[in-house]
Amino acid sequence: MLLVEDATGLYRHSNLTPHQLLVWLGQKLNPEVPLYNVAVGFMLSGKIDPEAFCAAFRKLIAASDALRTVIDEIDGVPHQRPVEDNRYELEYIDCSGASEPEKACNERMCARLGVPLDMSRRLFDAALFKLGEEKYVWYFNQHHIISDGVSFMLAYRHLAEFYSRMLAGTLDDAAPLPRSYDHIDYELERQRSPQQAEMETYWRRKLAEDVEPIDIYGPRPRRTMRTERLSIYLGLERRSKLRAIASNKAVARGSGNLAVFSLIAAALYAYLYRASGKNRLSIGVPFHNRAATPFKDVLGLIMKVLPLQITIERGDTFLAIIEKIHSEMSAIRPYRNVTLANSPAARVYDVWLNYFTTIYPDFCGMPVRNDWLHPGYARDALALQVHDFGGTGHFSLDFDLHCDVFDKDERHEVIRHFLKVLDALLENPATRIDDISLIDDSERRLIVEDWNASTWRPSGKQTLPRLFENAARKNPDRIALDFEGHATTYAQLNKSANRLARHLRAQGAGPETIVALCAEPSPEMLIGILGIMKGGAAYLPLDPEYPRERLSYLLADSGASLLLTEKRLSAIYPSLEGVNAPSAVYMDADREAIAARSDEDLDDGPSPQNLAYVMY
């Protein structure tokens, strides 16, 4: 969960910083995925001398020990070192003859970005594309292990200086760049300091209580790390309102960029609260960690990402959330120089907000447009990147959305719902979060009226168990259920439910009786529902995470005659121990007895008039 643990000895023997080590481990676990490729396409509008540009880039590589870094593995332990041989030639690609030069350039950049960088050979990739006589694109991709957002800006600034000097004939007079290995040595030495131990103690205490996963629109299994980026401009009207509220001291805490960040963060928290139903929320927030340090101009990975955790209470307004964000930022700022692991098994955050304050100036007098390229892979469910690289006042919002967490339609819904919450904040910061509806009138009409305007009416003889049995007979080998990579056919599911139904019948289940079902989302839960209904009984769903008092009340008040559950849940959920329960049937402990029952369909299933389920 926390900090870089040293169970394998990597930390003690490697000369990578803790943050670099986490990036290296992540890349080693996913060698075929460009998970840490970070790239920008700089569109330069003006006349470029390709030879001078390539010479300036060679100078940038020669001057930066970070860009010359490679990583060797010695007995499985990573060690970084700068390569002295800097004979790198920037690739020059002329796309001006293509029918659509910009499209051809974008396709080639995306193809390059999709290839993982070989950490033992080179940790960057670059090219200069010609689109026209006065239109060029500098493609620059760096592995995250040697770079962060500020580092990109510094590399751009230094290249512009070197290009200008090359044209003026003074390139050899350029001052040397700060060494990234000075920062690395400082970082490794600081890990042994009492101040660092104090910071680690702070975070261990703070994160002792796990934060529930934010299941936006419901829990979804993840099989890949594929993400899609959808981008929008905030627009003039929203931008004006945002700036006006950010300048209002009675609303926004802090000033300038901090005030804008707190407003966008408040909207994101409010959206997550409304979309997931969770009130304890954790968002990853980058800290650049460069202000007032001797390393503010160093190229390299210096930033940290820390969880910003707040709890939204019923009745909270945007103003209350902004206050909580400010308080939490103030509390964690003294302890920001730590590296927190964020493994899939114990996530500290699954959503992050990156508000860029960097503005890129013209390139030697030439206008520049920055396209921050996305490699198509990420770990987080949702990342919101907010930036105005050109200093135009027009905010761009990049939503990086996990393809396993959001289907194609939901990815667009995320943006629409977020903007709906943001508009509520911009209209009135005193708005109660619980009063915001994510759906509009047309969606409400679709859900309430159109989807319920069915002309189909069931006949007097149809029941759900019979409909499922018909489907199993027609398509026995079709997949009915796919759970965590394990597929179950209609025939298999139907037979399992039949065996369970007969076993429940033998324990007294039947028409107008109630069987409580306490199970986690799983194939067993679906088998349980079908088995109860096939046996003629009604099912009462119970959440195993409910408090013991709630479970006891539901069982007693409903008059349930049986409790269908799993023995293993008693060890996971202490609330199941000591529940005043009726006779219990365990789908795992009683597996052999259930499997001995016939798997044929029951002749005397429930009638349409029988009770089907009980809901509290």
Side-chain angles (χ1 to χ4, degrees):
M1 174 189 71
L2 175 66
L3 308 170
V4 180
E5 302 297 344
D6 198 28
T8 62
L10 290 178
Y11 178 78
R12 293 193 306 275
H13 299 107
S14 174
N15 69 341
L16 274 64
T17 67
H19 196 171
Q20 286 181 306
L21 188 57
L22 286 180
V23 173
W24 179 83
L25 287 168
Q27 188 67 79
K28 289 293 291 184
L29 291 171
N30 304 276
E32 304 301 321
V33 177
L35 189 60
Y36 298 103
N37 283 9
V38 186
V40 176
F42 297 92
M43 175 79 76
L44 307 172
S45 297
K47 184 66 176 177
I48 289 288
D49 182 337
E51 290 188 7
F53 193 95
C54 292
F57 190 76
R58 283 197 301 272
K59 177 66 174 179
L60 176 65
I61 304 305
S64 169
D65 56 353
L67 291 173
R68 287 184 285 107
T69 289
V70 297
I71 298 178
D72 303 318
E73 288 185 39
I74 303 173
D75 296 328
V77 177
H79 292 268
Q80 58 185 333
R81 61 180 176 88
V83 177
E84 297 305 322
D85 184 1
N86 53 49
R87 292 177 298 177
Y88 178 80
E89 290 296 329
L90 181 70
E91 189 173 1
Y92 176 61
I93 303 170
D94 190 347
C95 295
S96 60
S99 58
E100 297 181 71
E102 192 165 342
K103 180 181 178 182
C105 173
N106 287 336
E107 289 175 350
R108 297 190 71 160
M109 287 193 297
C110 289
R112 297 173 79 117
L113 183 57
V115 178
L117 294 168
D118 184 348
M119 292 189 288
S120 67
R121 179 171 170 265
R122 193 173 67 240
L123 290 167
F124 71 89
D125 181 36
L128 179 64
F129 293 88
K130 179 181 179 181
L131 276 59
E133 289 305 316
E134 294 191 354
K135 185 176 287 188
Y136 293 79
V137 172
W138 172 39
Y139 165 77
F140 191 32
N141 172 23
Q142 298 182 80
H143 199 289
H144 193 26
I145 204 166
I146 60 163
S147 181
D148 56 23
V150 176
S151 185
F152 254 100
M153 172 59 193
L154 293 171
Y156 170 86
R157 191 182 73 189
H158 290 310
L159 181 67
E161 178 196 349
F162 294 155
Y163 178 73
S164 178
R165 284 182 172 276
M166 183 65 193
L167 295 179
T170 60
L171 184 58
D172 292 338
D173 299 332
L177 302 186
R179 292 181 72 254
S180 69
Y181 280 78
D182 288 342
H183 169 262
I184 292 168
D185 292 341
Y186 166 81
E187 182 84 358
L188 294 176
E189 181 63 29
R190 191 179 61 190
Q191 300 306 309
R192 297 185 285 270
S193 70
Q195 292 80 9
Q196 190 70 19
E198 180 183 347
M199 292 182 192
E200 294 178 3
T201 299
Y202 170 85
W203 283 105
R204 284 196 173 91
R205 289 173 178 169
K206 187 174 184 62
L207 301 179
E209 181 182 351
D210 291 337
V211 177
E212 284 187 84
I214 305 175
D215 295 323
I216 310 169
Y217 308 146
R220 309 284 172 82
R222 302 188 196 183
R223 298 179 178 86
T224 72
M225 286 183 286
R226 289 286 306 173
T227 58
E228 180 182 14
R229 172 169 290 176
L230 299 178
S231 303
I232 61 168
Y233 285 105
L234 198 58
L236 291 175
E237 183 177 355
R238 289 190 178 107
R239 181 206 67 184
S240 298
K241 290 181 178 179
L242 183 65
R243 291 293 190 190
I245 295 175
S247 63
N248 186 343
K249 301 298 184 183
V251 176
R253 300 297 302 267
S255 60
N257 289 317
L258 179 59
V260 174
F261 165 82
S262 66
L263 294 176
I264 296 173
L268 182 57
Y269 277 117
Y271 159 72
L272 294 172
Y273 168 73
R274 298 293 289 141
S276 70
K278 303 291 176 61
N279 68 328
R280 179 66 175 163
L281 301 168
S282 180
I283 293 178
V285 176
F287 288 76
H288 63 71
N289 280 351
R290 291 173 182 264
T293 74
F295 307 111
K296 63 181 180 179
D297 293 327
V298 168
L299 275 68
L301 177 58
I302 298 180
M303 61 167 279
K304 308 288 186 185
V305 181
L306 299 176
L308 193 65
Q309 299 180 338
I310 70 168
T311 299
I312 299 179
E313 309 289 349
R314 290 196 63 81
D316 272 355
T317 64
F318 285 111
L319 293 174
I321 295 179
I322 292 169
E323 179 64 31
K324 291 177 181 181
I325 291 170
H326 177 77
S327 298
E328 184 69 4
M329 288 285 286
S330 299
I332 70 175
R333 188 171 285 111
Y335 305 98
R336 66 185 182 274
N337 282 316
V338 296
T339 299
L340 302 183
N342 193 32
S343 69
R347 299 197 68 86
V348 179
Y349 56 84
D350 200 24
V351 175
W352 75 315
L353 171 62
N354 196 358
Y355 173 54
F356 291 90
T357 60
T358 303
I359 295 177
Y360 286 80
D362 289 348
F363 187 88
C364 300
M366 288 178 280
V368 63
R369 187 191 82 200
N370 299 20
D371 290 328
W372 188 25
L373 306 175
H374 181 50
Y377 294 87
R379 293 182 180 276
D380 303 306
L382 166 63
L384 173 56
Q385 329 273 359
V386 183
H387 56 86
D388 176 20
F389 290 140
T392 62
H394 297 276
F395 283 111
S396 294
L397 274 63
D398 296 330
F399 292 81
D400 295 341
L401 300 149
H402 200 296
C403 295
D404 289 343
V405 176
F406 307 99
D407 64 31
K408 197 166 188 64
D409 292 334
E410 287 172 340
R411 290 170 219 160
H412 294 276
E413 291 294 285
V414 169
I415 297 176
R416 195 173 60 78
H417 289 163
F418 172 80
L419 291 178
K420 194 171 182 66
V421 174
L422 180 62
D423 286 340
L425 184 157
L426 298 179
E427 188 65 29
N428 182 10
T431 298
R432 283 165 38 102
I433 308 304
D434 291 312
D435 293 340
I436 302 171
S437 174
L438 296 185
I439 63 174
D440 55 26
D441 291 340
S442 61
E443 285 180 299
R444 187 177 292 105
R445 188 165 51 251
L446 174 68
I447 295 170
V448 176
E449 299 176 13
D450 297 352
W451 286 355
N452 287 312
S454 174
T455 58
W456 180 83
R457 292 293 181 271
S459 69
K461 296 182 179 180
Q462 287 179 313
T463 63
L464 189 146
R466 289 291 182 248
L467 290 172
F468 188 83
E469 288 164 5
N470 291 337
R473 279 192 290 270
K474 291 179 181 178
N475 302 288
D477 298 323
R478 180 173 292 180
I479 301 301
L481 175 66
D482 189 341
F483 183 79
E484 296 182 347
H486 179 71
T488 304
T489 66
Y490 274 89
Q492 291 170 332
L493 189 57
N494 189 54
K495 289 179 179 180
S496 295
N498 286 338
R499 286 190 285 264
L500 178 60
R502 284 189 162 83
H503 190 75
L504 293 174
R505 281 271 186 96
Q507 312 305 314
E512 306 309 310
T513 64
I514 297 173
V515 177
L517 175 62
C518 188
E520 295 178 309
S522 63
E524 286 71 24
M525 174 184 278
L526 187 54
I527 292 169
I529 294 173
L530 282 171
I532 293 169
M533 298 185 78
K534 278 172 170 283
Y539 76 92
L540 165 67
L542 300 179
D543 190 328
E545 293 190 0
Y546 281 170
R548 183 181 294 110
E549 294 77 10
R550 178 66 174 168
L551 292 172
S552 296
Y553 169 78
L554 294 177
L555 288 168
D557 187 69
S558 66
S561 60
L562 289 173
L563 171 62
L564 179 61
T565 184
E566 294 179 90
K567 197 78 171 178
R568 68 178 185 86
L569 294 182
S570 297
I572 302 174
Y573 302 104
S575 58
L576 292 178
E577 288 291 344
V579 171
N580 182 22
S583 299
V585 174
Y586 298 105
M587 287 183 281
D588 48 1
D590 298 336
R591 184 175 288 111
E592 291 185 5
I594 296 171
R597 307 285 180 179
S598 170
D599 61 10
E600 296 295 323
D601 291 335
L602 285 77
D603 295 330
D604 53 345
S607 73
Q609 289 73 39
N610 289 138
L611 184 67
Y613 57 85
V614 176
M615 295 289 177
Y616 278 77

